[in-house]
């Protein structure tokens, strides 16, 4: 089966059953990328016996990069950057700001290899160019200054070692997600707090990076399956990003061994 759903009352054993299944999958050669939003970080001790084959990553901890320009292959990096950052910043995909960002990052001619470098590039502009990109510069500066988005804008951070590890546990208790009823349209999405929009962008980046790593023939581990595990998944699966990913898993997961 391409997917498993654990559903039931609190304390009914959903997490325990899922941990046992994932542990067995890892022992059989599969890989898993796990989102753990709990404050107790229960997945960390559950998989501790795998030693350094498991990486624990706090996406707001300032230790690992989630800059889409760096973590994705060049041919799709700009696409993922725009898909996840434009809604977070409240920018319409066909707006002037979106067009400017796409222009500056266009393949083969991009002015910067990372979001951090792009912010520096814009801040160093002078004359007519500085005026032309003033609104985009101000928008990016306001988000780059947010501490819980350091992973997106700090280009000194290393790229997460998803392909090399048997499992990656993303501890996301410090992230907030939008209300599930207000994420379908941009004008509703913009009602959410900046922290909630940033949270969904980071969740989306994690899911997209997991899928690409575990399904790309050049990056995935031969022989095994790749698994994306979403603990407390109701909000994520009701978001546009989560629905899209779940639908693809349901329809294409067997073929992609994911």
């Amino acid at each position: 089966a391409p997917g498993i759903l654990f559903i039931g009352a609190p304390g009914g054993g959903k997490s325990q059953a899922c941990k046992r299944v994932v542990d067995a999958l890892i022992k059989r050669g599969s890989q898993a990328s796990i989102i753990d939003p709990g404050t107790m970080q229960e997945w960390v001790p559950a998989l501790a016996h795998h030693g350094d084959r498991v990486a624990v990553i706090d996406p707001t901890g300032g230790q690992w990069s989630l800059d889409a320009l760096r973590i994705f292959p060049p041919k799709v990096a700009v696409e993922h950057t725009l898909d996840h950052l434009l809604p977070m910043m409240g920018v319409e995909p066909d707006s002037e700001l979106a067009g400017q960002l796409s222009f500056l990052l266009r393949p083969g001619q991009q002015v910067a290899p990372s979001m951090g470098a792009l912010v520096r590039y814009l801040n160093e502009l002078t004359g007519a160019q500085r005026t032309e990109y003033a609104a985009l510069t101000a928008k990016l500066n306001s988000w780059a200054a947010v501490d819980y988005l350091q992973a997106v804008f700090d280009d000194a951070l290393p790229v997460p070692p998803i392909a090399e590890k048997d499992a990656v546990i993303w501890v996301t208790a410090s992230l907030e997600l939008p209300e599930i009823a207000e994420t379908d349209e941009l004008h509703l999405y913009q009602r959410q707090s900046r922290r909630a929009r940033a949270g969904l962008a980071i969740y989306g980046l994690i899911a997209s990076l997991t899928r690409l790593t575990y399904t790309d023939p050049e990056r995935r581990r031969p022989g095994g399956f790749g698994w994306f595990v979403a603990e407390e998944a109701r909000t994520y699966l009701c978001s546009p990003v989560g629905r899209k990913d779940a639908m693809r898993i349901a329809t294409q997961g067997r073929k992609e061994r994911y």
Side-chain angles (χ1 to χ4, degrees), residues 7-247:
I7 185 168
K14 301 184 299 298
S15 293
Q16 183 68 10
C18 186
K19 291 181 180 71
R20 288 177 178 269
V21 169
V22 171
D23 179 54
L25 290 168
I26 293 172
K27 290 174 179 176
R28 295 174 64 182
S30 289
Q31 291 174 283
S33 180
I34 303 149
I35 290 182
D36 181 0
T39 57
M40 301 300 291
Q41 300 183 10
E42 295 178 354
W43 278 90
V44 177
L47 298 182
H49 56 284
H50 291 281
D52 62 5
R53 300 304 305 162
V54 175
V56 179
I57 298 177
D58 178 356
T60 65
Q63 296 177 311
W64 298 95
S65 174
L66 280 176
D67 180 348
L69 294 177
R70 299 180 60 224
I71 63 178
F72 292 101
K75 63 182 179 181
V76 297
V78 175
E79 174 189 350
H80 283 291
T81 298
L82 298 176
D83 283 350
H84 297 289
L85 294 193
L86 290 182
M88 181 188 78
M89 297 189 297
V91 175
E92 294 278 4
D94 56 354
S95 67
E96 181 180 0
L97 289 187
Q100 288 181 335
L101 185 58
S102 179
F103 176 77
L104 293 172
L105 298 177
R106 63 197 185 283
Q109 303 181 59
Q110 66 186 79
V111 300
S114 67
M115 288 304 299
L118 177 62
V119 172
R120 292 193 295 273
Y121 169 85
L122 290 170
N123 285 323
E124 292 170 0
L125 290 176
T126 59
Q129 277 193 314
R130 185 176 184 86
T131 302
E132 178 183 1
Y133 292 107
L136 178 62
T137 303
K139 176 73 75 171
L140 287 175
N141 277 330
S142 71
W143 286 94
V146 176
D147 58 353
Y148 49 81
L149 284 176
Q150 183 180 357
V152 175
F153 290 97
D154 186 348
D155 49 9
L157 300 178
V159 172
I162 297 182
E164 293 78 23
K165 299 296 183 179
D166 291 345
V168 177
I169 303 170
W170 305 88
V171 290
T172 60
S174 58
L175 290 179
E176 180 183 338
L177 285 176
E179 294 295 326
I180 59 177
E182 298 185 350
T183 57
D184 281 326
E185 302 295 337
L186 186 60
H187 73 282
L188 297 176
Y189 196 90
Q190 289 174 330
R191 295 180 183 177
Q192 303 297 328
S193 69
R194 285 165 62 95
R195 193 177 190 100
R197 283 184 276 158
L200 190 56
I202 290 175
Y203 263 61
L205 287 167
I206 292 171
S208 296
L209 180 61
T210 297
R211 169 178 291 286
L212 184 71
T213 304
Y214 289 169
T215 63
D216 187 331
E218 297 181 0
R219 307 179 77 186
R220 70 184 180 193
R221 180 177 296 179
F225 265 75
W227 293 81
F228 176 65
V229 182
E231 181 91 30
E232 298 294 344
R234 57 189 177 277
T235 302
Y236 178 70
L237 293 177
C238 286
S239 71
V241 171
R243 282 201 304 268
K244 181 179 178 181
D245 197 53
M247 178 60 70

